[in-house]
Amino acid sequence: MTRSPTSPALARTRQARLMVLWLQWRLSKLATGEEAQERDFAASLGLSASQWSQHKAGKPLGPRLARQIEAACGQPAGWLDLPQEDSSAAVPLRDLFEISPPDSLPATTQALAEALGIDPVAWARGLGLAESPTQAGFPSPAADHRIQRVDLNAELVQHEEATLLVRVRGESMRDVGIFNGNLLVVDKSLTPVHGDIVVAILDGEFTCKKLYCRDGLVKLQPANPDFPEIVPQEGQELRIWGVVTSTVTRFR
């Protein structure tokens, strides 16, 4: 018997609630001082690391695999299929996935082309990249070189469905090359780790900072000495909204 494909709405619901399970597992491990490696979580679900990466990035979960994951995590059958609105436990995740910073938009080919001031048709074809025989630097004007086509969308965006462009406001990250008005490429499917540049939400306010996470201490570090570190205090809510993978700067 041919199985009917998973509907897009159900696929999104399962993927979002799968992330709830991953976050809960990770936090429980970190709280007890254990390592929280994604490969270990994948193994607990009966998945390979590559399978987990695919489903985390948005590959639809079939019903059989969904039931397998629910059983492995101690959830009742059908839990992954419940709309987020039907469960108070899913409210924080709904906020995480649906609330976006001001001046943000999906990282579509059109949006990236416009951000770089490039004709979308040329963007779709791919831009020319000069291949130089030199080891470093630019090709010599007199040197022979080949031209290859480069897809900048593929270069800048790893997971299109989970990636947004976010406009930066302020100069707190200027020393790492992020300036007021830049566009950040933010991937919400990546797990943030120590040293990542992230977009975070602190008490409902968005900020872009470097994530420090060592010896039980979590804080947000600016890349500008004129701005203070942000160390969440008791009663404050800090959430990592996404990991910054690239920044887009226009010079003219």
Side-chain angles (χ1 to χ4, degrees):
M1 183 174 64
T2 303
R3 293 181 180 176
S4 58
T6 304
S7 70
L10 180 56
R12 287 193 297 269
T13 296
R14 285 176 177 168
Q15 198 270 345
R17 291 176 73 78
L18 176 63
M19 293 305 297
V20 170
L21 296 176
W22 155 241
L23 291 172
Q24 289 176 339
W25 181 89
R26 180 174 171 80
L27 290 173
S28 67
K29 293 292 184 182
L30 293 175
T32 58
E34 299 178 70
E35 289 190 0
Q37 301 294 330
E38 293 193 59
R39 63 176 179 272
D40 295 328
F41 179 66
S44 75
L45 303 180
L47 302 176
S48 68
S50 62
Q51 285 178 307
W52 162 246
S53 295
Q54 292 170 1
H55 290 301
K56 181 184 174 185
K59 181 181 178 181
L61 288 171
R64 182 175 179 179
L65 184 54
R67 304 295 84 83
Q68 173 185 317
I69 290 173
E70 289 162 349
C73 294
Q75 296 293 341
W79 185 88
L80 284 169
D81 298 354
L82 294 176
Q84 293 176 14
E85 290 75 15
D86 292 348
S87 171
S88 59
V91 171
L93 189 76
R94 183 171 67 244
D95 292 343
L96 182 67
F97 274 77
E98 295 186 359
I99 294 178
S100 297
D103 300 323
S104 67
L105 68 161
T108 62
T109 298
Q110 178 79 19
L112 283 168
E114 292 176 354
L116 289 170
I118 298 171
D119 174 32
V121 176
W123 175 281
R125 285 200 311 265
L127 302 179
L129 174 68
E131 290 187 311
S132 170
T134 58
Q135 293 295 319
F138 295 100
S140 165
D144 290 333
H145 57 266
R146 301 189 306 274
I147 299 294
Q148 64 175 347
R149 310 308 291 181
V150 175
D151 180 356
L152 289 183
N153 199 62
E155 290 286 329
L156 296 179
V157 179
Q158 300 176 55
H159 309 116
E160 185 170 341
E161 294 297 321
T163 302
L164 283 87
L165 300 178
V166 178
R167 182 78 64 182
V168 174
R169 301 297 178 194
E171 298 285 351
S172 68
M173 297 299 289
R174 71 177 189 193
D175 292 348
V176 291
I178 297 176
F179 303 100
N180 184 54
N182 280 180
L183 279 177
L184 304 178
V185 181
V186 182
D187 192 329
K188 297 174 66 177
S189 71
L190 297 178
T191 301
V193 298
H194 175 77
D196 277 343
I197 296 174
V198 300
V199 173
I201 310 173
L202 180 65
D203 291 342
E205 297 292 329
F206 284 92
T207 185
C208 176
K209 296 290 185 290
K210 184 177 180 180
L211 177 65
Y212 180 98
C213 186
R214 281 287 185 269
D215 301 322
L217 176 62
V218 176
K219 58 184 177 180
L220 301 175
Q221 298 177 314
N224 183 334
D226 295 335
F227 290 79
E229 291 184 332
I230 297 175
V231 181
Q233 302 300 309
E234 185 177 354
Q236 289 187 301
E237 181 184 13
L238 172 66
R239 286 182 288 148
I240 305 303
W241 186 80
V243 176
V244 177
T245 59
S246 304
T247 181
V248 177
T249 302
R250 291 188 61 179
F251 295 100
R252 58 176 296 178

